[in-house]
Amino acid sequence: MADSDIQQPQQRQPPPGPRGRRRRPRFQQPRYQQREYPVSEELGKRELEVETKKFMIAVMSNEQGRFVRLSETGFDRRRISFSMEKALEFRTIINEFLTEYQQLDEPEEELASERLKTESFVQGRRRFYVDLRQNERGRFVKVTMLGYNKTFIAIPGVGLQQFTEAFCSLIDKFSTGSPPTTPPSKPPPQRSSRPRPPPPRPSSETSSNPLPESREVHAGTKRFYFDTLRNDRGTFLKLTEVLRMGRRTHINIPRTCWEKMGETFAALAGELAPSEDEEVESAAGSGSEGN
């Protein structure tokens, strides 16, 4: 039999697409593009070692401006970042906490777990808490950041003065002449070739009425936060409940029903007489407390 009589196997072709076009092989081009994070430059830093922990205070700068990064390295690494504008506010708070700590008496017996002093500040959707605490291990300052996730650093009391001096020296050196900026929380979005819809036209309410400040209410081991926000759909109230372990949940209440809900709360409070347990709890100082 001649070689020409042997049928060669035909190569399999992809089925034709619409209008007779050949379909392209799948995954020919990458489906996602890797995002580029803004490059940060380190302007200055201080490194401290307190007991078994190592702390680093760094002033960073990128295309969005200057910001401060606090890092703790122990069993794991934790980092907290806030803008230079909030660093000035944190400097005042940490100095007050140092004064409060130095005025405390030396413990003669095992300390009970207690929060001695607390302060907070807000930056965008992030909320920061500074607590002077004590437990059976001693006294310390805990700095907590709540945002898309929760992270904190704990500064032992024996190293609080060293930490405060290092932080203040960096802020005094790099805060002059720096505009208030926000540290990068998310990478900037990539530019797309598709035309974007025009932004919503601001209404008279948006341009003339500023948003009220946030409110905070303590109720036992729970905390409730009242944040007034605004988007293209209008103004609304974000009511957040935070438990002691950091778990949180929230609901959004439109501006149009604030008065009705306020009247409902007032009516319920008027119809329900306080029980003896609630009176004892409020007299002991563990009831609701508005800030």
Side-chain angles (χ1 to χ4, degrees):
M1 182 180 296
D3 295 341
S4 59
D5 297 337
I6 300 177
Q7 297 182 357
Q8 300 293 335
Q10 297 181 357
Q11 296 182 355
R12 188 175 181 180
Q13 299 291 339
R19 299 182 181 178
R21 296 179 182 176
R22 295 288 181 181
R23 296 182 180 178
R24 295 182 178 179
R26 302 181 68 180
F27 309 108
Q28 183 176 1
Q29 298 179 353
R31 301 178 62 184
Y32 302 100
Q33 294 182 357
Q34 186 177 4
R35 294 182 177 181
E36 297 181 357
Y37 289 83
V39 179
S40 299
E41 178 186 0
E42 186 179 281
L43 302 180
K45 69 176 180 179
R46 297 288 189 276
E47 294 183 352
L48 312 173
E49 187 171 354
V50 181
E51 295 180 347
T52 59
K53 297 182 178 181
K54 293 183 180 180
F55 297 92
M56 186 182 69
I57 309 170
V59 177
M60 312 293 293
S61 177
N62 58 18
E63 59 185 11
Q64 298 180 358
R66 294 181 180 179
F67 61 97
V68 178
R69 177 179 294 168
L70 307 179
S71 304
E72 174 190 345
T73 304
F75 296 102
D76 54 357
R77 186 173 183 178
R78 306 187 184 100
R79 295 191 303 183
I80 293 178
S81 300
F82 44 79
S83 65
M84 184 60 71
E85 179 185 12
K86 295 302 177 180
L88 300 175
E89 186 174 350
F90 179 76
R91 179 179 61 180
T92 304
I93 294 175
I94 199 66
N95 276 289
E96 294 177 356
F97 276 56
L98 177 60
T99 304
E100 184 77 15
Y101 172 78
Q102 292 175 345
Q103 294 176 356
L104 295 175
D105 299 332
E106 290 294 332
E108 298 180 356
E109 56 184 9
E110 184 176 350
L111 297 174
S113 181
E114 183 181 1
R115 182 190 295 110
L116 305 176
K117 184 178 178 64
T118 181
E119 294 289 344
S120 64
F121 58 93
V122 180
Q123 177 184 316
R125 295 188 177 182
R126 295 179 178 180
R127 193 180 295 270
F128 299 85
Y129 301 94
V130 188
D131 300 323
L132 177 59
R133 294 172 170 265
Q134 67 178 22
N135 55 21
E136 63 277 2
R137 299 181 180 179
R139 297 189 176 106
F140 59 97
V141 171
K142 181 180 180 181
V143 185
T144 307
M145 180 180 68
L146 286 179
Y148 298 99
N149 51 14
K150 177 184 177 181
T151 183
F152 67 91
I153 63 173
I155 310 165
V158 295
L160 183 58
Q161 182 173 359
Q162 184 182 3
F163 180 91
T164 305
E165 293 175 354
F167 182 85
C168 293
S169 64
L170 278 176
I171 299 305
D172 294 340
K173 182 178 181 180
F174 294 101
S175 63
T176 56
S178 61
T181 54
T182 303
S185 57
K186 281 188 173 182
Q190 295 289 331
R191 294 184 177 181
S192 175
S193 58
R194 298 180 180 179
R196 296 182 178 179
R201 187 176 182 181
S203 60
S204 59
E205 179 184 1
T206 303
S207 57
S208 60
N209 296 338
L211 297 177
E213 296 182 357
S214 300
R215 301 290 197 277
E216 179 178 349
V217 175
H218 292 191
T221 59
K222 296 183 179 181
R223 292 185 180 184
F224 298 91
Y225 302 101
F226 299 78
D227 300 318
T228 306
L229 304 175
R230 182 181 289 136
N231 56 19
D232 55 350
R233 299 182 180 180
T235 306
F236 62 95
L237 175 68
K238 181 179 179 182
L239 177 57
T240 307
E241 176 189 2
V242 181
L243 302 179
R244 173 174 293 181
M245 301 302 296
R247 294 179 299 172
R248 55 194 173 95
T249 182
H250 75 273
I251 59 173
N252 296 332
I253 306 175
R255 172 66 181 86
T256 54
C257 63
W258 288 5
E259 287 79 4
K260 293 182 180 179
M261 296 197 68
E263 296 173 357
T264 303
F265 277 121
L268 291 174
E271 295 176 2
L272 182 63
S275 61
E276 297 180 358
D277 297 338
E278 293 176 349
E279 294 177 357
V280 172
E281 184 180 7
S282 60
S286 59
S288 299
E289 179 179 327
N291 291 350

